[in-house]
Amino acid sequence: MSTVHLTFDNGPDPEVTPHVLDVLDRYRAHATFFLVGKNLTDEAGVATAELIRNRGHRIGNHSFTHGTPLGDDPGEAAVTRELAQTQALLDRVWTGPRWFRPFGGGGEIGPHLLSEESVAWLQAHEVTCVLWNSVPGDWKDPEGWVERALEDAERLDEMVVVLHDVLPGAMARLDRFLAQLVEAGHGFTDDFPLSCLPIVAGKPQPGLDAYVRSSSKSRRKAGS
Ligand SMILES: [Zn+2]
């Protein structure tokens, strides 16, 4: 039996996100949507973000460009472009606690996710950093992801699953996934397991170092 926290990354998408919201309503499930800042630079994107909020879901920061992962892009320029720029757009539609999900790497978890500069920014702005423990690969396999996500729910007590509300084909299967989850006895939760939160409201948690590329280490390596 798993408690499942649903997360949707890379949106908002004016076509796909409203469909996802309708499906979530059917199951009374709350989710967190990690938005990409460049999708919030037009009216349709902002209106979709407001819809997410108005329907009772959380909104978080998922970078501005979704380009190079922050651990591979150290320095203040990336922090300003990816984190601060997106947060300024999010702050217009979201006044609750600040959430951030690192991006890049096809769901791989490792030190490529964060730079030391980005960690400092997350601390200073009291952001909670949200990782994941289930990546069923909806972008690679618009049908088969459902089966893999159900297997993860069997394996995990607390599941944080990464889906993408920008994929019409994969999200057409969202209803079937949620129906099968409920049928198998799993439930939804609004909480994240602490094991998926390396930074909580700006406070570093044990194990954070595993997700941060240390610039002093890479300097040493470069000099050796
Ligand atoms: Zn992403």
Side-chain angles (χ1 to χ4, degrees):
M1 264 358 110
S2 189
T3 53
V4 180
H5 193 116
L6 301 162
T7 64
F8 295 91
D9 290 4
N10 298 12
D13 181 296
E15 302 291 322
V16 184
T17 306
H19 163 73
V20 167
L21 294 173
D22 289 345
V23 176
L24 293 175
D25 277 357
R26 262 174 243 151
Y27 296 86
R28 294 191 185 83
H30 290 138
T32 304
F33 289 76
F34 291 99
L35 308 186
V36 170
K38 67 181 178 194
N39 297 336
L40 293 172
T41 53
D42 62 18
E43 249 175 64
V46 173
T48 309
E50 288 170 345
L51 195 61
I52 294 169
R53 177 200 64 203
N54 294 345
R55 302 276 280 271
H57 306 284
R58 287 177 183 165
I59 289 177
N61 185 334
H62 192 47
S63 85
F64 189 81
T65 66
H66 204 274
T68 307
L70 290 167
D72 296 334
D73 191 9
E76 292 299 334
V79 172
T80 303
R81 184 183 63 244
E82 302 298 341
L83 300 184
Q85 187 176 206
T86 300
Q87 198 61 51
L89 293 164
L90 288 183
D91 284 349
R92 296 181 199 166
V93 291
W94 179 255
T95 55
R98 289 173 161 180
W99 310 95
F100 170 69
R101 166 163 283 167
F103 59 98
E108 295 280 323
I109 285 183
H112 63 286
L113 291 179
L114 295 167
S115 61
E116 290 180 342
E117 293 86 351
S118 62
V119 169
W121 188 91
L122 295 169
Q123 287 183 253
H125 294 83
E126 299 180 355
V127 180
T128 295
C129 181
V130 183
L131 301 180
W132 53 85
N133 56 22
S134 170
V135 185
D138 56 349
W139 72 94
K140 296 182 286 204
D141 186 357
E143 289 188 41
W145 71 266
V146 171
E147 208 46 53
R148 275 191 301 281
L150 289 167
E151 285 166 13
D152 285 348
E154 292 298 322
R155 175 174 66 84
L156 296 161
D157 291 334
E158 299 176 297
M159 173 176 175
V160 180
V161 58
V162 178
L163 300 172
H164 298 88
D165 57 325
V166 293
L167 305 170
M171 289 305 99
R173 275 87 182 177
L174 181 63
D175 191 297
R176 192 171 69 194
F177 169 53
L178 299 186
Q180 288 183 266
L181 262 187
V182 170
E183 204 176 274
H186 307 297
F188 303 110
T189 176
D190 289 353
D191 297 322
F192 292 113
L194 277 176
S195 59
C196 288
L197 303 179
I199 303 173
V200 176
K203 294 188 181 56
Q205 302 299 300
L208 169 64
D209 287 356
Y211 318 118
V212 185
R213 185 89 77 214
S214 155
S215 37
S216 52
K217 232 184 257 166
S218 43
R219 267 200 300 276
R220 270 203 301 279
K221 216 180 278 169
S224 66

